[in-house]
Amino acid sequence: CNGRLLFRYNSQGRPFVVNIDHFIDYNAGGGLYHTEYLEALFLNDREAIAEFEEEGFLLSNTGPHASCPTVANISSIKVNCVREHRDVSGNLDNPALIRQSCDCKFLVYEPYPEYAQQCPWVLMVCRGVHSHPIPLPTKTPPRVRDVVFTLLERLDYDLADLTPRRFLRHPSTTSYLRELLPHDEAPTLLDLHPSLGNRDHIRSYIVQVQRTLFPDGTGWDGLLHLKHQQDEELLPEDAYIRVVEEYPALGLDMDEDDEQDCNIPFRIAICMFRACSDLLLKAKYVQSDISHQRMVGFKEFELGGLQTTSRISIPYCRIYVNRQTAAAHQIIFQKISDLVLHDTGTELRWRHIHATDVHQEVGILHFAMDQHGGQAKGLGLYLHAYAQRYPGKMDLHEDRLLTSLDEYDHLARVARLCTAHIYRNIGKADVSEGVRNLMRSLVCMEHSKWDEMIERIIAEGGRAGANWVADKIRSKFAFAAMCWEKSFIPRAIWQVGDNTSNIIESLHADANREGVSCSLVGGVKKGRHFDTLKIKTLWNLGSVGIRPGYARGHVSETTKKSLKRKATAQHRVLEKEDARIENQNKRLKAAYDSRNAAERRLSEGGSQVALERAVRGRDHAQNALEKAVTASRELAGSGSGKVGLLLPASDHEAT
């Protein structure tokens, strides 16, 4: 903005800085600034300015007249002084640095090559007196610089998103420095050479190595380069980056959830080992989740689940996308299916499409997800397109052709909402606890009063309750994914299937520990490292029988742990409620005693003034008692039952 800033005072005499059009700042009057000096600067009162600056120089050697300590080496790229000084016209300026000559001469004596072994030294003689301070050690010696470059090149998957701070604290850096400097308890790069104390200097080395290893950057072009490099150096069966494609802009339907611009191209990158295709083909219960904090500019969509025999959570694939529309998710599921077919020679199968009867368990039986409209509809569209390949096959659950099912009919046969997401959103709803309990009751196997409960939520929950119901109806699949009775998933599968997406959430949380807000290349390389560890852990268990922990991995252990965790959480809630009851009992008793004391004072009589004071005291105490009784009644039904709730014997006593 080129508008003029003005120094003004308000009606209370407080100074502020203002631009007539759009800016006002009261910090000037906050007591932290020398307002007289500021006013002189705004008014360009040179006499007052000179007086204040001279005073600052004499008292504390500060201001434009203070002595300047700025010194730079002759090889420095600095041109101007970093401090402001007054020029000949009295204006503040960063003057150019003055090159100072030195008349000292250096004489270097070196032995002839044939005498180098007898005299392996060099003699340096300086003649004259230096007219400057000792040069700053800003230039890193070549040997030390080579050490830094070697360390950087070893960091591999951490290099793409490396910062000077991360490099200084990286385990590889500290481990190397401990070996090199064993006498130092906490060695740093600064101990190698003082120039490495400059973080920007270290950043220049990091950028130099990054440009060498990632010539196309760490974004989309960098990922294309990384895939090209992978395809040239690795065998096809060892590939991890499988798909890197870009599509024209995808539209957005009304029942989707996507905050991105509809006109931007859709970019997708699928990372998946061939071994994971085999695992996904054998998977029965699959979960999905999408992370928004893993990548900058991209979302990480992940499929995962528990490996059947080992009970180890496995990420089947990672998909990096910049859109979350239904069309985008349809492409995602189709590409995954194509990769499974390419890697295994067998198509990815789904129970309600490939089974010959309701009780046959073929392919994926159960798919746990959250209520994202784009993801759900995208899965349904993929299944709808898949079902068109079986034109004469009848549906297992209704007397209709499989090809006649729309996308939401397919979801009703495989999808299930994560109850943790449902309960968390219910907890945030702006309704009473009673209405929240009505909402929670819809997450069930069967509900005999479903329609009545929906009407009660709308009637008793007000606008928030009506919006909650409308949101579930708008999704077109939520109710069927919450209540078994509304879906077509066989009862046994529903009972065995995961009612939460905690498995995939934990996989995402583990991956996030490797780093968040990553670049695309950095996130892919970190994901490869994490997935490799998972695959090798599973292989180690299958080949030599070594589990990743001492637990047996049986479902009873996880169930027991879950029950203990829930019980502990419930006990904490009950303990807090008991504490509230105890505190409220004390308040009620105090209010009751105060009311009785006020009535005794009133009954004692006295002067007219004393009686009026006693009446006011009694009324005040009575109001306090009534409020305390109301607060106590609100706590009825809470707590563990170990702490009794004090209440008046009757409403008459409370009044």
Side-chain angles (χ1 to χ4, degrees):
C1 175
N2 296 321
R4 182 183 177 188
L5 294 177
L6 304 175
F7 189 86
R8 293 286 185 266
Y9 291 90
N10 62 13
S11 58
Q12 288 79 30
R14 182 180 179 182
F16 62 94
V17 178
V18 64
N19 176 288
I20 300 300
D21 293 331
H22 59 270
F23 176 79
I24 185 169
D25 183 12
Y26 284 96
N27 288 330
L32 299 178
Y33 298 95
H34 194 306
T35 54
E36 292 84 357
Y37 179 50
L38 278 178
E39 185 176 13
L41 288 173
F42 274 92
L43 298 178
N44 198 23
D45 187 345
R46 294 186 179 274
E47 292 184 3
I49 292 173
E51 181 180 347
F52 287 127
E53 292 179 352
E54 186 68 24
E55 180 182 355
F57 169 65
L58 294 176
L59 294 178
S60 57
N61 193 29
T62 58
H65 297 298
S67 56
C68 182
T70 303
V71 177
N73 292 347
I74 193 68
S75 59
S76 174
I77 62 174
K78 291 181 180 178
V79 177
N80 297 89
C81 180
V82 296
R83 291 172 172 260
E84 290 184 330
H85 301 272
R86 294 286 179 187
D87 59 15
V88 294
S89 301
N91 299 319
L92 284 176
D93 187 25
N94 296 98
L97 294 173
I98 300 174
R99 177 170 298 199
Q100 188 172 357
S101 61
C102 182
D103 297 330
C104 291
K105 302 293 184 182
F106 285 90
L107 300 177
V108 181
Y109 298 90
E110 297 181 4
Y112 286 110
E114 57 268 24
Y115 299 104
Q117 291 186 351
Q118 291 85 352
C119 183
W121 295 285
V122 174
L123 176 63
M124 181 177 292
V125 179
C126 178
R127 293 180 177 177
V129 179
H130 293 282
S131 59
H132 56 82
I134 298 175
L136 302 176
T138 57
K139 192 172 183 179
T140 307
R143 185 183 65 82
V144 177
R145 188 168 60 248
D146 291 342
V147 170
V148 174
F149 284 157
T150 302
L151 281 173
L152 288 171
E153 291 169 356
R154 289 179 181 176
L155 298 185
D156 190 23
Y157 58 87
D158 286 330
L159 178 62
D161 301 312
L162 194 65
T163 63
R165 178 181 177 84
R166 292 174 183 171
F167 181 49
L168 292 172
R169 299 175 62 250
H170 198 278
S172 297
T173 304
T174 55
S175 176
Y176 173 80
L177 292 175
R178 287 182 184 277
E179 294 178 1
L180 188 65
L181 306 170
H183 59 281
D184 196 333
E185 294 183 359
T188 65
L189 288 177
L190 183 62
D191 297 315
L192 291 181
H193 193 266
S195 63
L196 298 179
N198 187 328
R199 304 292 177 86
D200 291 331
H201 191 58
I202 296 176
R203 181 178 285 107
S204 67
Y205 290 154
I206 294 174
V207 171
Q208 187 174 342
V209 177
Q210 286 175 337
R211 288 175 177 172
T212 301
L213 298 181
F214 310 117
D216 293 326
T218 56
W220 182 254
D221 293 336
L223 184 61
L224 291 171
H225 172 79
L226 192 63
K227 186 178 188 308
H228 176 72
Q229 191 177 41
Q230 167 198 269
D231 295 341
E232 286 188 342
E233 297 177 358
L234 299 180
L235 296 174
E237 55 267 24
D238 296 330
Y240 178 69
I241 307 172
R242 310 298 298 278
V243 175
V244 181
E245 295 177 354
E246 182 175 287
Y247 294 82
L250 303 176
L252 180 67
D253 293 339
M254 294 298 294
D255 53 351
E256 301 176 25
D257 302 316
D258 191 15
E259 299 177 355
Q260 296 292 332
D261 183 2
C262 299
N263 298 319
I264 64 174
F266 171 58
R267 289 176 171 176
I268 177 174
I270 300 180
C271 299
M272 183 180 190
F273 286 116
R274 174 167 289 191
C276 291
S277 294
D278 295 325
L279 294 172
L280 180 56
L281 186 63
K282 299 174 183 177
K284 301 294 183 183
Y285 300 91
V286 179
Q287 300 182 8
S288 70
D289 184 45
I290 193 162
S291 173
H292 297 262
Q293 59 179 350
R294 182 103 165 94
M295 297 282 191
V296 176
F298 284 82
K299 286 87 176 172
E300 184 184 53
F301 179 81
E302 188 174 0
L303 286 184
L306 283 181
Q307 205 273 338
T308 307
T309 56
S310 66
R311 303 289 297 176
I312 294 177
S313 57
I314 296 294
Y316 300 126
C317 58
R318 300 181 188 276
I319 302 95
Y320 305 100
V321 293
N322 62 340
R323 297 296 306 277
Q324 300 183 79
T325 62
H329 281 90
Q330 183 181 6
I331 294 173
I332 289 173
F333 287 110
Q334 185 59 55
K335 289 294 181 181
I336 294 172
S337 181
D338 294 342
L339 287 174
V340 171
L341 176 61
H342 176 270
D343 293 342
T344 65
T346 305
E347 294 180 328
L348 189 63
R349 296 178 296 176
W350 301 81
R351 179 199 63 83
H352 70 285
I353 294 178
H354 295 88
T356 56
D357 61 72
V358 176
H359 303 291
Q360 185 182 12
E361 296 185 356
V362 176
I364 296 176
L365 313 176
H366 184 279
F367 196 100
M369 60 172 64
D370 58 24
Q371 196 187 320
H372 188 278
Q375 178 189 171
K377 185 176 180 180
L379 175 60
L381 289 172
Y382 156 73
L383 293 173
H384 173 73
Y386 201 157
Q388 303 310 306
R389 298 159 60 181
Y390 303 90
K393 187 173 183 179
M394 298 298 293
D395 178 50
L396 300 176
H397 305 280
E398 295 180 292
D399 188 17
R400 55 191 293 195
L401 289 173
L402 188 64
T403 54
S404 67
L405 302 180
D406 65 15
E407 56 268 28
Y408 296 105
D409 292 329
H410 283 281
L411 289 178
R413 287 153 174 77
V414 69
R416 185 172 180 182
L417 280 181
C418 170
T419 56
H421 285 81
I422 297 174
Y423 291 151
R424 182 166 61 243
N425 293 333
I426 290 175
K428 296 178 182 178
D430 187 18
V431 295
S432 65
E433 188 61 29
V435 176
R436 291 194 184 101
N437 290 331
L438 297 180
M439 294 175 176
R440 295 186 186 104
S441 70
L442 299 182
V443 183
C444 59
M445 290 292 295
E446 298 171 314
H447 204 299
S448 59
K449 299 180 179 180
W450 181 275
D451 294 335
E452 178 184 341
M453 201 61 60
I454 295 293
E455 293 176 359
R456 287 187 59 187
I457 292 173
I458 296 174
E460 300 177 18
R463 183 175 181 180
N467 289 341
W468 186 85
V469 173
D471 176 66
K472 299 295 177 285
I473 295 174
R474 179 192 65 85
S475 70
K476 301 180 183 179
F477 79 100
F479 284 147
M482 293 166 53
C483 176
W484 168 79
E485 187 180 18
K486 299 291 182 180
S487 77
F488 291 100
I489 299 176
R491 187 184 188 96
I493 294 176
W494 184 280
Q495 291 173 329
V496 175
D498 305 310
N499 64 342
T500 68
S501 58
N502 289 347
I503 294 172
I504 197 68
E505 295 276 0
S506 65
L507 286 171
H508 248 146
D510 286 343
N512 287 345
R513 292 188 182 98
E514 302 292 328
V516 295
S517 299
C518 302
S519 64
L520 185 57
V521 170
V524 168
K525 292 180 77 67
K526 287 183 173 69
R528 178 190 175 96
H529 174 74
F530 181 84
D531 294 348
T532 300
L533 178 61
K534 279 287 186 179
I535 294 298
K536 288 186 176 181
T537 300
L538 193 61
W539 177 88
N540 192 53
L541 174 61
S543 59
V544 298
I546 304 298
R547 293 190 58 82
Y550 288 125
R552 295 180 296 119
H554 193 268
V555 64
S556 61
E557 292 178 333
T558 56
T559 303
K560 182 178 179 181
K561 184 184 294 185
S562 176
L563 291 174
K564 284 185 175 180
R565 188 181 296 117
K566 291 179 180 178
T568 301
Q570 184 63 24
H571 281 308
R572 291 198 190 102
V573 173
L574 294 177
E575 287 173 359
K576 291 181 180 179
E577 292 178 352
D578 286 345
R580 283 198 293 268
I581 292 174
E582 289 179 348
N583 292 332
Q584 184 57 34
N585 287 344
K586 293 177 182 179
R587 295 191 189 99
L588 180 61
K589 188 176 185 307
Y592 184 78
D593 293 342
S594 297
R595 196 276 307 268
N596 291 341
E599 288 183 345
R600 283 196 302 270
R601 286 193 295 271
L602 181 62
S603 63
E604 292 173 357
S607 64
Q608 184 65 27
V609 175
L611 286 174
E612 292 177 355
R613 186 183 302 113
V615 169
R616 288 196 300 271
R618 191 274 312 273
D619 293 342
H620 178 75
Q622 181 65 30
N623 291 334
L625 177 60
E626 291 175 357
K627 291 180 180 179
V629 170
T630 301
S632 295
R633 287 201 178 101
E634 291 177 353
L635 295 178
S638 64
S640 63
K642 298 178 181 179
V643 180
L645 178 63
L646 293 181
L647 285 173
S650 64
D651 292 341
H652 176 73
E653 183 177 345
T655 58

